[in-house]
Amino acid sequence: MGRSAKTIKSFAYLRTSSAANIGEDKDSGRRQLQAIEAFARRSGIELVGTYHDEAVKGSDPIDTRPGFAEMLEALEANGTKTIIVETANRFARDLMVQEVGFAMLKSRGIDLIAADSPTSFLDDTPTARLIRQVLGAISEFEKAMLVAKLRGARDRKRRTGVKVEGRKSIGEERPETVELARRLARARPKGGKRSLREISAALAAAGHMTKTGKPYAPTAIKLMLARPSGRIVGSAARGDAQ
């Protein structure tokens, strides 16, 4: 890994792009973490923390992801200089996002390791850069093809008169929860501003929790506050706080 013989400390980073893959009964995050933990054991790396961005697309810029931003703060605080992801596309599917994010981490002296291909980010040879870019381009192409297929399927259903719509939003199912979250965000206790976690805790104290009886995840609170139209995908909003 290009470091001394002492134990390397690392954070695990998980990303789940689809809201449908969030929840205790889903295995995306669990599978990612198991792959990272297995790699860390084989490599003698100590995992000191795990950060997860739920319902965050692989094309979203790194600096806009709440989980990743929180992890960067922790990296700066405790001196850890390594991040492990399950695969390169868990870091980013979009090629430009992947390269810009990798360059940003490298400039801060932070190593990024993909558990399925440990040298894909650490090696900075022309060949490694080409492989990383080709894999990123393939992943980006596959995602675009999937989106096109799903759009085509929806369009065909509409032409036959079949109603096509997603899950009900939390704004439709629980408008009072969204309204209270917005009021809490506008309120300024002691001149400050409530964090997403504080809003979640206040909602829970008022009896507003997910269907599984847990506080709303910070990402769900962010969606409640960011979309005045109330079009918040129900499964995303139901992501339980860890």
Side-chain angles (χ1 to χ4, degrees), residues 41-171:
R41 284 195 298 271
R42 294 195 304 269
S43 306
I45 297 175
E46 179 187 356
L47 291 179
V48 294
T50 301
Y51 291 84
H52 192 175
D53 273 314
E54 298 177 333
V56 170
K57 296 179 180 178
S59 57
D60 288 354
I62 301 301
D63 58 358
T64 66
R65 305 178 185 179
F68 200 88
E70 188 177 351
M71 180 175 63
L72 286 180
E73 290 180 5
L75 285 164
E76 297 286 349
N78 71 7
T80 299
K81 292 295 183 181
T82 304
I83 298 171
I84 305 177
V85 293
E86 179 197 22
T87 63
N89 63 25
R90 286 299 173 187
F91 175 62
R93 280 187 178 274
D94 182 273
L95 180 58
M96 184 61 69
V97 172
Q98 185 180 105
E99 288 302 300
V100 170
F102 173 68
M104 180 270 288
L105 292 176
K106 185 179 177 182
S107 70
R108 298 188 181 192
I110 299 171
D111 288 337
L112 179 64
I113 304 174
D116 70 330
S117 180
T119 61
S120 61
F121 287 112
L122 293 181
D123 288 348
D124 200 27
T125 63
T127 300
R129 287 197 299 273
L130 174 62
I131 292 172
R132 189 168 62 244
Q133 291 169 356
V134 168
L135 290 176
I138 292 173
S139 179
E140 188 175 349
F141 172 76
E142 289 176 341
K143 181 64 179 297
M145 288 295 293
L146 177 60
V147 170
K149 287 179 180 178
L150 292 174
R151 185 186 302 116
R154 289 194 297 269
D155 289 344
R156 286 193 295 273
K157 286 184 178 180
R158 289 191 184 99
R159 286 195 293 269
T160 63
V162 176
K163 186 178 181 180
V164 179
E165 59 184 7
R167 297 171 183 264
K168 283 189 176 181
S169 70
I170 189 174

